[in-house]
């Protein structure tokens, strides 16, 4: 089981992965000009990223992806 993170979006193939649980969020660097620092911000993933994550489950054989959001929310994700 992979709890979907950026690793599930890479070309890395891990043998035996058959299930991916995807929260639908990712952490991105955001620069704050007021503080002059970069910080991590949690944001919704894009539709493309969700499809890439789901593909990890079936990379080497049959697999499933459990998405923790509705089909309606998925349709509304940014491309």
């Amino acid at each position: 089981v992979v709890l979907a993170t950026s690793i599930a979006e890479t070309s890395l193939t891990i043998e035996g992965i058959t299930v991916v649980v995807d929260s639908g969020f990712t952490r991105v660097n955001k620069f704050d000009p007021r503080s002059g620092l970069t910080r991590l911000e949690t944001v919704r993933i894009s539709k493309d990223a969700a499809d890439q994550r789901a593909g990890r489950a079936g990379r080497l054989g049959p697999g499933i992806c459990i998405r923790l959001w509705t089909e309606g929310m998925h349709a509304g994700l940014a491309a």
Side-chain angles (χ1 to χ4, degrees):
V1 174
V2 170
L3 298 176
T5 64
S6 298
I7 192 117
E9 296 174 35
T10 68
S11 60
L12 177 68
T13 299
I14 304 170
E15 226 173 295
I17 298 298
T18 58
V19 177
V20 170
V21 178
D22 191 350
S23 69
F25 291 96
T26 191
R27 306 272 291 176
V28 295
N29 288 319
K30 294 283 183 168
F31 179 72
D32 182 355
R34 290 180 13 182
S35 69
L37 300 172
T38 301
R39 61 186 174 85
L40 283 175
E41 187 174 304
T42 303
V43 297
R44 275 266 172 222
I45 61 172
S46 67
K47 195 176 290 190
D48 292 338
D51 292 343
Q52 182 70 22
R53 288 180 178 184
R56 292 296 106 198
R59 187 78 173 171
L60 299 175
I64 61 169
C65 177
I66 301 167
R67 290 180 170 157
L68 303 180
W69 66 90
T70 66
E71 285 294 325
M73 288 175 71
H74 186 73
L77 291 176

